[in-house]
Amino acid sequence: MRFTREQQDFAVAVRELCDSECKTLQQRDALTEGGTVANSSALLEKFAGLGWLAVSLPEEHGGGGAGMVEECIFLEETARGLAPIIAYSTGLTAAQTYLRYGTEEQKHTIVGNMASGKLEAIALSEPGAGSDLGGVRIKAELVDDHYVINGQKTWISAAHVAEHILLLARTDASGNKHQGLTLFMVPAASPGLEIHGIETMEARTCNDLYFTDVAVPASAVVGTPNQAWRHLMRGLSVERLIIATMALGGAQRSLDDVIAFVTEREQFGQKISSFQAIRHRIADLATEIAFAKSFVYDVAERIDAGEEDNLNREGSMAKLKCTEIAKKTALEAMQMMGGYGYTREYGMEEQVRRSLAPPIYGGTNEIQREIISKSLGL
């Protein structure tokens, strides 16, 4: 696609702000308490003040009123800039469901939070239900005018910094596993809800959630009771595109950094960029990233044209390809940088760590391949 002048200017503005605020390791450490937290409230507030958060969400609910193309520009450039606002994308994903099925009050609350720099989370996975969400066992029982929730969720991104949890729970066990599921908007500060961090190779992102007699009003239901499976199966192209676009930005950053390194580093009396083996590996990566970017923005443009419900295959393709090329680029870049790629100072080790989880979350890439193959009649 061809970007408008306004879209090009927006990309430049986001890139320049990231360069001024978090380009160096020292800047990122200052924003993240030495790399121990994944989200900078100060940076989120700065983006919010500029009107860049929730840029694609409806203006009537407090969003920016722009399109998915603009949102992808923001996601790509902040990922490329290593901006520590990882949980923003989680909230953006949750917002898609609220906007489709939520009440006016729920929509206004969620979009308003996103636009102001507050964060939201979505809780689907359980110890026995990851790729197979039909296996959800956490229970929400209707008692008079409220629901009582008991059970556990796991691998829940951003729950510890979120205002609300978009929760998938079982409200009726009489049918098959895809029936009797309901979505709820649960305040993260609800009595009886415990949030425990899961230690990973990155700063705290994921959590275990334990619900013990957590009470929410019947008005907390998002959409139609017992119809959550149908709700979750619609509109997935946006959620997958969000992950794809961030991976695209990460891939571009890895490529930028390795090019900068090989054009400065000398071995055997010459720049290592003069070696054909290095040049050709970088040429291959740059080509794959360019093709992935073209595809991502084509999908975004089609979503803005109202084709969202017809793009499930394309959304899966975007998520699959972009997360794979982000991982490949970071690993290739680390190898080309030698020992320097393994140090914190040069930042590539951070890129490698960032690239490993996206092929797993948001529906594993194995699941994406199943979706794509089935759409082809296989």
Side-chain angles (χ1 to χ4, degrees):
M1 65 167 290
R2 183 180 296 274
F3 294 104
T4 66
R5 171 55 60 185
E6 290 78 10
Q7 290 166 341
Q8 293 176 37
D9 290 344
F10 181 45
V12 170
V14 177
R15 185 178 303 182
E16 289 180 346
L17 183 62
C18 288
D19 282 347
S20 69
E21 297 290 330
C22 50
K23 184 174 184 178
T24 68
L25 175 63
Q26 290 73 23
Q27 287 175 309
R28 295 194 297 278
D29 276 350
L31 289 168
T32 61
E33 300 177 19
T36 60
V37 297
N39 299 281
S40 166
S41 57
L43 195 56
L44 283 165
E45 288 174 8
K46 186 161 290 189
F47 285 139
L50 292 166
W52 292 352
L53 299 183
V55 64
S56 66
L57 303 184
E59 195 171 9
E60 62 266 29
H61 297 303
M68 198 61 205
V69 169
E70 285 77 11
E71 193 70 72
C72 286
I73 289 171
F74 179 75
L75 292 168
E76 181 190 359
E77 291 299 337
T78 52
R80 183 178 189 172
L82 300 181
I85 59 166
I86 304 300
Y88 171 74
S89 63
T90 304
L92 191 62
T93 298
Q96 308 308 312
T97 299
Y98 285 111
L99 288 171
R100 273 180 170 262
Y101 304 109
T103 65
E104 291 302 300
E105 182 178 357
Q106 289 169 345
K107 294 175 185 178
H108 192 75
T109 298
I110 296 302
V111 175
N113 282 349
M114 293 292 299
S116 66
K118 296 178 182 179
L119 300 168
E120 299 291 336
I122 180 168
L124 304 180
S125 297
E126 296 181 8
S131 295
D132 179 18
L133 288 180
V136 163
R137 299 179 63 183
I138 190 170
K139 294 181 180 179
E141 182 182 1
L142 182 61
V143 180
D144 298 326
D145 62 348
H146 64 279
Y147 286 86
V148 178
I149 304 167
N150 285 281
Q152 180 186 354
K153 290 290 183 179
T154 193
W155 299 114
I156 309 307
S157 298
H160 61 298
V161 291
E163 298 293 308
H164 304 89
I165 312 293
L166 179 60
L167 173 73
L168 177 66
R170 187 163 298 282
T171 45
D172 184 353
S174 63
N176 66 46
K177 68 178 185 178
H178 295 144
Q179 297 173 330
L181 297 171
T182 302
L183 290 167
F184 295 90
M185 180 178 173
V186 181
S190 296
L193 172 57
E194 295 184 22
I195 302 174
H196 297 171
I198 299 174
E199 292 189 13
T200 68
M201 64 175 63
E202 293 189 88
R204 182 176 176 182
T205 301
C206 299
N207 304 272
D208 282 315
L209 274 55
Y210 299 92
F211 294 79
T212 304
D213 294 332
V214 175
V216 296
S219 60
V221 170
V222 180
T224 305
N226 300 321
Q227 296 298 314
W229 186 260
R230 178 172 59 85
H231 297 341
L232 291 172
M233 291 303 104
R234 292 190 60 197
L236 291 175
S237 50
V238 171
E239 288 89 335
R240 293 167 186 154
L241 190 65
I242 289 169
I243 298 172
T245 307
M246 294 177 67
L248 175 67
Q252 188 64 57
R253 175 57 180 256
S254 295
L255 182 68
D256 292 345
D257 286 355
V258 75
I259 289 174
F261 181 86
V262 301
T263 53
E264 291 294 327
R265 175 71 170 163
E266 290 189 4
Q267 287 287 283
F268 306 104
Q270 55 188 312
K271 305 292 186 186
I272 62 175
S273 59
S274 67
F275 296 111
Q276 187 181 73
I278 294 291
R279 296 202 311 271
H280 285 192
R281 288 165 77 178
I282 291 175
D284 285 342
L285 294 172
T287 300
E288 289 201 59
I289 292 169
F291 271 75
K293 180 167 183 172
S294 179
F295 188 81
V296 160
Y297 282 98
D298 177 69
V299 175
E301 194 172 41
R302 292 175 66 185
I303 287 172
D304 287 339
E307 299 179 38
E308 179 181 340
D309 290 340
N310 299 319
L311 293 171
N312 278 345
R313 176 170 65 193
E314 288 79 3
S316 290
M317 287 177 169
K319 195 267 185 183
L320 171 63
K321 185 60 178 178
C322 289
T323 57
E324 294 288 351
I325 189 57
K327 181 170 69 173
K328 178 180 178 181
T329 304
L331 289 170
E332 286 274 353
M334 176 175 278
Q335 183 69 24
M336 285 185 274
M337 292 172 70
Y340 293 101
Y342 201 63
T343 66
R344 283 198 78 220
E345 177 185 357
Y346 281 79
M348 194 54 65
E349 61 84 29
E350 179 181 353
Q351 281 295 88
V352 169
R353 287 187 286 109
R354 280 192 176 207
S355 72
L356 296 178
I360 300 171
Y361 65 60
T364 66
N365 282 3
E366 288 75 15
I367 293 295
Q368 304 310 319
R369 289 182 174 95
E370 276 295 292
I371 293 168
I372 295 165
S373 61
K374 287 180 181 179
S375 75
L376 297 171
L378 301 176

